[in-house]
Amino acid sequence: MSVLLQTGKVYLLRKQFNNIFSKCIFYRKKSDVSRKFVTFDEIVALRRAEARRSLVVQVNSESSFNELHGYCSKYASINDIHHYRNSGGEHFMLIEFNSEENLKDVLKSCSSHQKDVDVMGVQSPFLWFRASSGVREKYEQSIKQLAVKDGSKSVNEEVLYEELLNCDSVSDQIQMLYDRTVLNDIGVRLRYMVARQLEVVFSSLYANIRVQPFGSSVNGFGRMGCDLDLVLSNNLDEHNLISFVTQSSQKHRLVYQEKKSEGARSPSQRHMELLGALLELRVPGAGRVQRILNARVPIVKYSHELADVDCDLCCNNTSGVYMSELLWALGALDARVRPLTGAVRSWARAVALTNAHPGRWLTNFPLTLLVLFFLQQKQSGPILPSLNYLISLAGKEDIRVAEENLNCTFLRDLNKLPTDSYSQNDDDLQTLLFKFFEFYSQFEFQDKAISINEGRAIRKPNSLPLYVVNPLEQSLNVSRNVSYEECERLRLEVRNAAWHLESCLDGHKSDDWGILGLVEQKSSRGLKKLLRVGNSHRLVSVKDLFKDNDDVEPSTEGIRSKMEKF
Ligand code: GTP
Ligand code: MG
């Protein structure tokens, strides 16, 4: 990473950022045409650095931009400003400064004075901009220097509906749906800001911690409004980890006393209890805190009202991050993987095969593995390699070990993958989507398990209805919660979907042609919900499109069963 910074290639990398979750990442520079792909670690490092020099400021309205920009420019130079609104209609500006030093200079000018004696000020990257009490300064210059990027206008559902209706082909529709609904730059920035906020607030209690997003916020399959999975862990990278383990006992003779946990609950449960309390008391924006402590990996759920994101926080679950890295890498290998997965996820939500609340049904994670597995099949030339192949190519620099000695080693730098080892297939997205449905309508779920490690179906080790091998812990089934009825529904719905796509081949364009007939939701009242729902001016309004089905109740039991699978 430091090499990249020194050689000034960061600009190239930053340019790709804007498209990071919408396209396969190509990283080409004149002197090194062989370097096509950015690594996950490079992206994470850049996003984290960006968050360290950014602030989120609540303002009165979009028109506060000029005043805020002028005010901050007195203290520091600004790289970028983005505007968004949360569900409550409140306005925010996400400001990225030129450097962390710049940000510190701005923070020196901040006041934490509160009128309310019950409220103790908290220093965090979420602030508000007080209305000017005296004569307003004029900041006409600002707008010319830097235009605000309005995150809230990035998706307009009515336009999207028309665009999908008017596409020339189903492939175009799939690509369009993906491009318009993929988690955008401001969505990613905000998620890293929420992680940064926890690092700032918790750092006085925990030495050298790191809070990292994982799951769909970073794995390349995230959509506007997706939840934010967060893990709090020690800030030790692999190299540090090795030197920490081998040297600390020998070289450093003074060692901090540790606080051992007492009481009936496990240490991780006690920590999560504390984090829950801190979220309630010390983290601005965090609300509706819910502790789920009896799972194998205890979590605290909360809603970040300022960033408008629902969060799940856990501790030391680094395998979740490596899993995200694996999914990210497979998604980056071929430009069709993410749009295809996006279409399948939208379809599954629309027919209520998946649901945001875990229970006896599928969730997006195993569903994504179903798509990746399909793309590894040999029928018309595999598009993706098996995980075993990526493991066989791994070098020393790829070694990663997660909690409980879980080996998460696989090839990280995709530039090292021989080009003839994948993607001999030039099917378009429409064909792939149809083949996906066809493949699973014929899949022998009763005998076979899905393993992206092997890239081929293997014998099921038990009689659970659906068996999807956990790629990083192969003795586990990530869909063990799925009931027989839900598995049967999956088989039925893939057949229906294949039939629908086949019926579109005659070229006749009705109002539910192609992808529209797959992603529209049927509500409990039998009414069709088209794409045109919700407030089109909100940043995350398109998530309404994929809202939970009214028929299914959230269940804590379901949440537990999900977490036990880790
Ligand atoms: P959405 O939140 O639905 O958009 O997708 P997601 O990929 O973020 O899924 P989810 O929030 O349910 O889970 C977050 C991450 O946790 C996933 O991406 C996986 O890396 C991991 N994960 C989820 N379910 C399981 C599971 O059953 N077993 C294991 N080992 N990891 C899981
Ligand atoms: Mg998630």
Side-chain angles (χ1 to χ4, degrees):
M1 184 60 209
S2 58
V3 177
L4 285 173
L5 288 166
Q6 282 156 17
T7 51
K9 282 175 258 166
V10 147
Y11 175 69
L12 278 174
L13 214 51
R14 279 190 62 80
K15 268 183 79 178
Q16 294 164 21
F17 255 22
N18 300 329
N19 295 326
I20 250 159
F21 297 104
S22 59
K23 292 195 177 88
C24 178
I25 309 304
F26 287 96
Y27 178 86
R28 222 183 263 277
K29 57 187 166 68
K30 276 183 191 156
S31 56
D32 181 11
V33 281
S34 62
R35 186 125 206 271
K36 276 193 345 186
F37 300 103
V38 195
T39 69
F40 181 78
D41 282 348
E42 286 167 351
I43 288 172
V44 170
L46 272 169
R47 284 296 188 187
R48 282 174 60 81
E50 197 175 75
R52 292 179 78 93
R53 54 173 189 269
S54 299
L55 292 173
V56 177
V57 184
Q58 186 168 2
V59 291
N60 260 342
S61 69
E62 291 106 315
S63 54
S64 311
F65 164 72
N66 235 12
E67 215 178 322
L68 178 67
H69 181 268
Y71 180 84
C72 291
S73 303
K74 287 200 297 193
Y75 301 95
S77 75
I78 296 172
N79 263 359
D80 231 344
I81 302 194
H82 299 256
H83 165 254
Y84 72 93
R85 280 167 66 185
N86 67 0
S87 324
E90 294 161 323
H91 294 265
F92 298 84
M93 300 280 177
L94 192 157
I95 313 176
E96 184 199 335
F97 294 95
N98 260 347
S99 67
E100 235 182 298
E101 288 311 308
N102 274 182
L103 180 132
K104 285 181 189 153
D105 290 339
V106 176
L107 289 180
K108 275 184 210 151
S109 81
C110 281
S111 149
S112 58
H113 173 74
Q114 303 284 340
K115 281 187 196 145
D116 188 342
V117 286
D118 289 339
V119 180
M120 306 256 207
V122 180
Q123 289 195 355
S124 100
F126 286 82
L127 310 165
W128 60 278
F129 191 44
R130 208 195 305 258
S132 165
S133 50
V135 183
R136 289 193 179 196
E137 293 176 59
K138 288 201 171 167
Y139 297 111
E140 277 126 16
Q141 283 287 308
S142 318
I143 242 159
K144 284 175 209 147
Q145 289 164 4
L146 194 80
V148 66
K149 290 181 186 145
D150 199 334
S152 65
K153 290 194 179 127
S154 58
V155 176
N156 180 322
E157 289 151 17
E158 288 185 23
V159 173
L160 174 60
Y161 178 82
E162 293 300 327
E163 282 175 331
L164 292 175
L165 201 60
N166 294 324
C167 278
D168 288 335
S169 65
V170 177
S171 296
D172 288 352
Q173 284 185 319
I174 296 170
Q175 188 65 50
M176 175 83 68
L177 181 67
Y178 175 73
D179 291 342
R180 298 289 187 267
T181 59
V182 69
L183 185 61
N184 64 3
D185 181 53
I186 175 118
V188 179
R189 281 173 186 264
L190 274 174
R191 282 162 173 75
Y192 274 87
M193 289 306 294
V194 170
R196 174 75 191 139
Q197 181 190 36
L198 296 189
E199 272 180 10
V200 171
V201 177
F202 296 162
S203 59
S204 57
L205 281 177
Y206 296 92
N208 203 20
I209 52 151
R210 179 182 174 105
V211 178
Q212 221 177 310
F214 70 105
S216 58
S217 296
V218 295
N219 68 16
F221 296 103
R223 235 181 344 215
M224 306 279 263
C226 68
D227 71 357
L228 169 59
D229 304 289
L230 291 166
V231 56
L232 179 134
S233 54
N234 281 325
N235 192 13
L236 299 170
D237 61 33
E238 301 322 304
H239 306 293
N240 283 339
L241 186 66
I242 292 162
S243 58
F244 180 78
V245 172
T246 54
Q247 294 169 13
S248 64
S249 52
Q250 298 153 14
K251 246 173 71 184
H252 308 296
R253 297 196 48 204
L254 283 176
V255 183
Y256 287 110
Q257 292 279 0
E258 281 167 9
K259 175 70 197 166
K260 297 215 169 58
S261 179
E262 290 163 14
R265 284 194 185 276
S266 72
S268 60
Q269 286 174 326
R270 299 292 305 273
H271 279 298
M272 293 314 289
E273 272 174 351
L274 174 63
L275 294 184
L278 287 170
L279 282 163
E280 280 167 341
L281 285 168
R282 303 302 295 153
V283 180
R288 290 190 277 139
V289 177
Q290 208 189 330
R291 298 154 181 84
I292 299 162
L293 304 179
N294 290 329
R296 194 173 138 213
V297 179
I299 59 167
V300 177
K301 294 175 92 63
Y302 70 101
S303 176
H304 201 295
E305 280 142 21
L306 306 177
D308 214 8
V309 188
D310 291 328
C311 309
D312 286 359
L313 173 66
C314 62
C315 268
N316 292 324
N317 175 37
T318 38
S319 64
V321 179
Y322 296 138
M323 189 81 83
S324 306
E325 186 175 14
L326 173 64
L327 262 51
W328 184 89
L330 291 172
L333 267 177
D334 188 287
R336 293 165 291 182
V337 181
R338 289 171 183 159
L340 181 74
T341 310
V344 171
R345 284 168 85 139
S346 303
W347 156 79
R349 171 54 53 92
V351 294
L353 275 174
T354 54
N355 189 288
H357 307 291
R360 58 191 180 280
W361 41 82
L362 260 180
T363 59
N364 276 329
F365 173 58
L367 182 68
T368 304
L369 294 179
L370 290 189
V371 181
L372 299 176
F373 178 74
F374 158 71
L375 293 172
Q376 293 171 327
Q377 301 311 298
K378 301 222 159 51
Q379 286 97 332
S380 42
I383 287 178
L384 294 177
S386 70
L387 174 55
N388 285 349
Y389 185 61
L390 294 184
I391 293 172
S392 73
L393 295 174
K396 256 201 231 151
E397 64 287 359
D398 297 312
I399 296 174
R400 303 285 188 279
V401 181
E403 62 286 338
E404 291 171 18
N405 267 338
L406 203 61
N407 189 349
C408 301
T409 303
F410 55 87
L411 180 75
R412 260 62 193 187
D413 184 355
L414 300 175
N415 300 295
K416 294 182 184 161
L417 198 62
T419 44
D420 59 353
S421 59
Y422 63 96
S423 210
Q424 307 296 321
N425 173 312
D426 57 6
D427 282 346
D428 61 16
L429 284 167
Q430 171 172 1
T431 311
L432 286 176
L433 186 60
F434 177 72
K435 284 186 177 174
F436 168 85
F437 291 131
E438 209 182 26
F439 176 75
Y440 283 109
S441 58
Q442 286 159 17
F443 192 80
E444 294 168 32
F445 288 102
Q446 61 281 17
D447 301 321
K448 302 283 188 207
I450 282 135
S451 161
I452 70 158
N453 303 65
E454 301 284 339
R456 61 179 175 79
I458 57 171
R459 263 246 316 263
K460 249 176 31 178
N462 59 35
S463 59
L464 284 169
L466 182 62
Y467 203 106
V468 182
V469 175
N470 179 337
L472 298 180
E473 208 171 351
Q474 291 179 61
S475 57
L476 299 181
N477 171 11
V478 299
S479 58
R480 71 170 198 184
N481 59 311
V482 176
S483 67
Y484 176 77
E485 290 74 21
E486 288 299 314
C487 188
E488 281 303 297
R489 264 190 1 93
L490 170 66
R491 297 164 63 140
L492 177 78
E493 292 295 353
V494 287
R495 262 182 247 138
N496 286 344
W499 178 84
H500 171 78
L501 281 184
E502 208 163 21
S503 71
C504 296
L505 288 178
D506 64 7
H508 173 70
K509 289 187 180 174
S510 59
D511 65 358
D512 69 346
W513 81 279
I515 198 79
L516 285 168
L518 297 179
V519 303
E520 66 186 3
Q521 285 189 8
K522 291 160 192 79
S523 77
S524 50
R525 288 165 294 281
L527 297 170
K528 282 181 180 179
K529 257 192 197 172
L530 291 184
L531 302 175
R532 282 172 286 186
V533 289
N535 173 355
S536 61
H537 299 295
R538 275 182 40 216
L539 162 68
V540 291
S541 54
V542 157
K543 80 177 172 188
D544 296 338
L545 211 177
F546 310 103
K547 242 182 184 166
D548 308 338
N549 189 301
D550 312 334
D551 300 336
V552 189
E553 287 293 320
S555 89
T556 328
E557 202 182 303
I559 296 170
R560 267 195 212 121
S561 80
K562 170 195 174 187
M563 296 316 299
E564 273 157 17
K565 286 180 297 163
F566 276 92

